[in-house]
Amino acid sequence: MGYIKVKAKVSNPIDRSKSIMIELLADTGAIYTAIPEDILKKLGITPHGKRKFKIASGEMMELPIGEAYIEIKGEGATSIVAFLPKESTALLGVTTLELLGLKVDPVTGELKPLELFLL
């Protein structure tokens, strides 16, 4: 399958005129979307807390979190984002995918609409 990369518009959730197009790596192992801190700070997004994350090496890392408005394929939602160190790969986490009504199709390597239930 390889990697699934997607273009996304990331905006300040209060002032959406502050926005940037970036490429995110869809990561179904990541709960939250994570974006390098320098990008988030350029958008005027500030941390409002911290959370501990287990990273690929198995180590725990505490990162600041905030909120960003994220648009992909014409759908947008405000989502929690983790502030990654500069030069890190931006990740699209499952919480944001679900908020956008999208899922990763491992066969095609694309994002597809998620079947939404109200049961």
Side-chain angles (χ1 to χ4, degrees):
M1 174 183 82
Y3 297 108
I4 299 173
K5 293 183 179 181
V6 61
K7 296 273 187 203
K9 182 177 180 182
V10 179
S11 306
N12 181 305
I14 297 167
D15 180 2
R16 292 192 199 157
S17 69
K18 296 177 183 176
S19 65
I20 188 169
M21 290 295 294
I22 64 171
E23 188 171 71
L24 299 170
L25 177 64
D27 184 353
T28 58
I31 300 298
Y32 294 147
T33 292
I35 299 173
E37 64 184 351
D38 57 321
I39 294 172
L40 295 172
K41 288 180 179 177
K42 276 184 198 173
L43 298 173
I45 297 171
T46 56
H48 59 66
K50 290 187 175 192
R51 301 263 168 96
K52 290 184 180 179
F53 297 89
K54 185 177 270 192
I55 60 174
S57 67
E59 297 174 76
M60 296 299 289
M61 177 184 278
E62 188 173 61
L63 296 171
I65 59 162
E67 293 181 11
Y69 187 80
I70 300 172
E71 290 180 59
I72 298 171
K73 294 188 167 200
E75 297 292 333
T78 298
S79 184
I80 293 175
V81 294
F83 286 62
L84 291 174
K86 282 183 177 182
E87 308 299 320
S88 298
T89 300
L91 304 174
L92 175 61
V94 294
T95 300
T96 304
L97 281 168
E98 289 178 355
L99 288 169
L100 296 172
L102 298 170
K103 67 178 180 178
V104 173
D105 183 334
V107 176
T108 64
E110 298 175 346
L111 297 183
K112 301 272 177 132
L114 179 64
E115 185 174 19
L116 302 172
F117 295 100
L118 287 175
L119 304 176

